[in-house]
Amino acid sequence: YTAREGRRINFTRDLSETGVFVRSQELLDLDTPIRLVLAPPGSTFQAVTLRGHVARLVDTAEERGMGIRLQFADQDERARFASFVQRLEQSYLAGTLPDEVL
């Protein structure tokens, strides 16, 4: 994603059909529009470009990051992303994701 100081590469802890949690030392303000490129591990999945806004901030001793609420252009885009999330979850449950990303 792109932040105030330029492009950032971070990791996600949670991913759902409606949002993503991005671990980050640099927190954007609530409601900041954001464009992310999600690049899942392995060669089975292609990167996905997402749009949304910062909906939640976490700044504790254990974790620092942002909850991003996703926005979709239409129902087709929403359905494609939901399918992507389901396939990724199936790969996780099947044990086919690389150990270093779990």
Side-chain angles (χ1 to χ4, degrees):
Y1 69 93
T2 301
R4 289 183 285 268
E5 301 300 318
R7 188 175 149 191
R8 297 287 181 251
I9 298 174
N10 290 330
F11 296 92
T12 181
R13 179 194 71 191
D14 293 321
L15 175 67
S16 74
E17 294 175 10
T18 59
V20 60
F21 184 83
V22 177
R23 291 179 173 165
S24 177
Q25 290 302 306
E26 180 184 3
L27 300 178
L28 302 177
D29 294 331
L30 286 173
D31 295 322
T32 299
I34 190 168
R35 182 179 163 271
L36 319 154
V37 178
L38 179 64
S43 60
T44 305
F45 297 92
Q46 292 185 343
V48 175
T49 300
L50 304 168
R51 288 172 287 111
H53 65 276
V54 178
R56 181 171 62 102
L57 300 174
V58 175
D59 189 5
T60 66
E62 298 82 29
E63 186 161 49
R64 185 173 168 94
M66 304 172 286
I68 309 300
R69 181 171 294 128
L70 299 176
Q71 298 167 315
F72 300 97
D74 55 34
Q75 286 303 108
D76 287 341
E77 185 178 66
R78 181 182 300 275
R80 281 192 304 275
F81 185 68
S83 175
F84 168 84
V85 170
Q86 289 168 0
R87 288 191 341 258
L88 191 59
E89 181 180 33
Q90 288 169 349
S91 292
Y92 169 74
L93 293 173
T96 58
L97 289 179
D99 287 342
E100 65 269 12
V101 300
L102 299 177

